[in-house]
């Protein structure tokens, strides 16, 4: 009935009101402690020792770091300082209505942007979404789910701090995330109908959420679809930032830490991820 502090090897984790520890959670903080809500939407705890560690970092990308701009959001600062961490979506946002068994189809340019968001494996990625709509969907998720906690589109602070957390076990993930779905990676996956497939190297294919190799129990931060953030770029023609690369990219060219600036438009390669703050 309230936010609850739990001690794990590697530190303390706060479980928000209305959530429980997932059965497939790691048993250590660094392994990725997973919480889920009543509908099975999942988030992973990212520890932050001090607010100075909740920071933006340049890994690679288009332009220079000084051209990408974002002030530390006050609500994030307050929550991270108090709880020594935050939650990030375990998966890229999925589309509940588009996901099903044999009738499932990937979203298209005419797909409904009022469809419900999911944060689960085996979902149709919620692509064809503008950055403006991604902000709205992310912030509205907590209300739809009845959370006391707040959900938001991932900020540059949350994204980069998560990459830093992942690099404690995968030292080059920010600059070379071959665990993702890219043009030059190959892996086995389950397609949106539930059939087993092999994604061949030198091929481009969008896959459902959670099909790539996880790092610290977090999936899809490299490859599959670009993810909009709340960071901005100092160019009026392309004022927004997206992260992590997509399925047409090379994993060393636009890795999980990569930045790219863009205008506010939707497409097959544009998706998003949620964060959660108590």
């Amino acid at each position: 009935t309230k936010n609850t502090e739990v001690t794990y090897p590697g530190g303390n984790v706060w479980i928000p009101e209305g959530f429980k520890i997932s059965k497939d959670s790691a048993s250590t903080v660094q392994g990725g402690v997973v919480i889920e809500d009543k509908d099975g939407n999942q988030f992973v705890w990212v520890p932050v020792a001090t607010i100075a560690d909740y920071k933006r970092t340049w890994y690679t990308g288009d332009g220079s770091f000084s051209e990408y701009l974002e002030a530390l959001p006050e609500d994030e600062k307050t929550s991270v300082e108090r709880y020594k961490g935050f939650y990030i979506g375990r998966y890229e946002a999925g589309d509940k209505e588009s996901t099903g068994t044999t009738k499932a189809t990937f979203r298209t340019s005419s797909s409904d942007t009022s469809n419900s968001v999911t944060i689960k494996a085996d979902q149709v990625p919620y692509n064809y979404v503008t950055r403006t709509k991604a902000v709205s969907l992310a912030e509205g998720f907590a209300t739809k789910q009845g959370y006391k906690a707040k959900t938001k589109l991932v900020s540059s602070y949350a994204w980069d701090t998560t990459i830093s957390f992942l690099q404690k076990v995968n030292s080059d993930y920010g600059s070379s995330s071959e665990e993702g779905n890219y043009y030059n990676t190959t892996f086995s996956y389950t397609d949106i109908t539930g059939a087993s497939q092999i994604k061949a190297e030198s091929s481009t294919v969008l896959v459902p959420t959670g099909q790539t190799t996880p790092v610290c129990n977090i999936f899809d931060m490299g490859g599959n679809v670009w993810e909009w953030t709340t960071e901005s770029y100092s160019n009026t023609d392309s004022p927004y930032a997206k992260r992590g690369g997509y399925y047409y990219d090379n994993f060393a060219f636009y890795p999980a830490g990569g930045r790219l600036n863009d205008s506010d438009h939707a497409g097959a390669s544009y998706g998003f991820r949620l964060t959660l703050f108590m």
Side-chain angles (χ1 to χ4, degrees):
T1 58
K2 62 180 181 179
N3 299 335
T4 305
E5 191 173 19
V6 180
T7 300
Y8 277 85
N12 292 351
V13 175
W14 282 88
I15 313 304
E17 180 177 339
F19 285 81
K20 66 179 181 180
I21 299 293
S22 170
K23 290 181 179 178
D24 63 348
S25 173
S27 57
T28 66
V29 170
Q30 191 61 61
V33 174
V34 181
I35 60 167
E36 63 182 36
D37 67 12
K38 58 182 173 51
D39 297 318
N41 295 294
Q42 297 184 326
F43 295 85
V44 175
W45 177 254
V46 179
V48 183
T50 70
I51 196 63
D53 298 316
Y54 190 63
K55 63 183 180 181
R56 302 167 65 239
T57 303
W58 178 260
Y59 294 99
T60 184
D62 284 4
S64 63
F65 195 20
S66 62
E67 295 172 297
Y68 291 87
L69 309 167
E70 185 165 25
L72 175 57
E74 195 60 36
D75 56 350
E76 295 184 22
K77 179 177 184 288
T78 299
S79 182
V80 169
E81 278 188 314
R82 178 174 180 182
Y83 293 102
K84 306 294 184 184
F86 66 98
Y87 282 98
I88 191 165
R90 192 180 187 187
Y91 310 98
E92 293 171 332
D95 180 334
K96 182 179 180 180
E97 282 74 26
S98 295
T99 304
T101 53
T102 55
K103 293 183 179 179
T105 57
F106 284 109
R107 291 171 58 82
T108 68
S109 58
S110 60
S111 293
D112 195 338
T113 55
S114 67
N115 284 1
S116 301
V117 172
T118 57
I119 310 170
K120 304 177 184 180
D122 308 318
Q123 307 289 292
V124 169
Y126 210 125
N127 58 356
Y128 286 99
V129 62
T130 64
R131 191 260 204 175
T132 299
K133 187 62 182 180
V135 169
S136 174
L137 287 167
E139 292 180 353
F141 185 76
T143 302
K144 279 194 171 185
Q145 293 300 118
Y147 297 169
K148 290 290 182 66
K150 175 184 289 189
T151 53
K152 301 177 66 180
L153 183 65
V154 64
S155 68
S156 57
Y157 289 84
W159 186 278
D160 291 334
T161 302
T162 300
I163 295 292
S164 177
F165 171 64
L166 302 181
Q167 289 200 153
K168 287 180 167 63
V169 298
N170 191 328
S171 61
D172 68 345
Y173 191 71
S175 58
S176 185
S177 50
E178 60 268 32
E179 296 80 7
N181 174 24
Y182 291 95
Y183 172 80
N184 60 328
T185 57
T186 181
F187 54 91
S188 302
Y189 72 98
T190 301
D191 71 19
I192 205 61
T193 70
S196 297
Q197 304 285 356
I198 298 291
K199 190 273 173 188
E201 191 170 353
S202 301
S203 68
T204 56
V205 58
L206 180 66
V207 301
T209 60
Q211 301 305 306
T212 56
T213 302
V215 183
C216 304
N217 254 332
I218 299 172
F219 293 79
D220 312 321
M221 284 191 74
N224 216 36
V225 294
W226 285 103
E227 298 183 25
W228 288 116
T229 71
T230 53
E231 190 175 50
S232 62
Y233 185 72
S234 56
N235 183 313
T236 54
D237 293 327
S238 53
Y240 302 116
K242 56 187 185 181
R243 305 296 300 272
Y246 77 123
Y247 59 97
Y248 268 86
D249 276 334
N250 178 305
F251 66 76
F253 194 61
Y254 281 119
R259 277 176 166 86
L260 187 66
N261 54 85
D262 213 332
S263 59
D264 195 20
H265 66 280
S269 61
Y270 298 78
F272 64 102
R273 187 179 301 258
L274 279 68
T275 46
L276 181 147
F277 299 89
M278 289 168 281

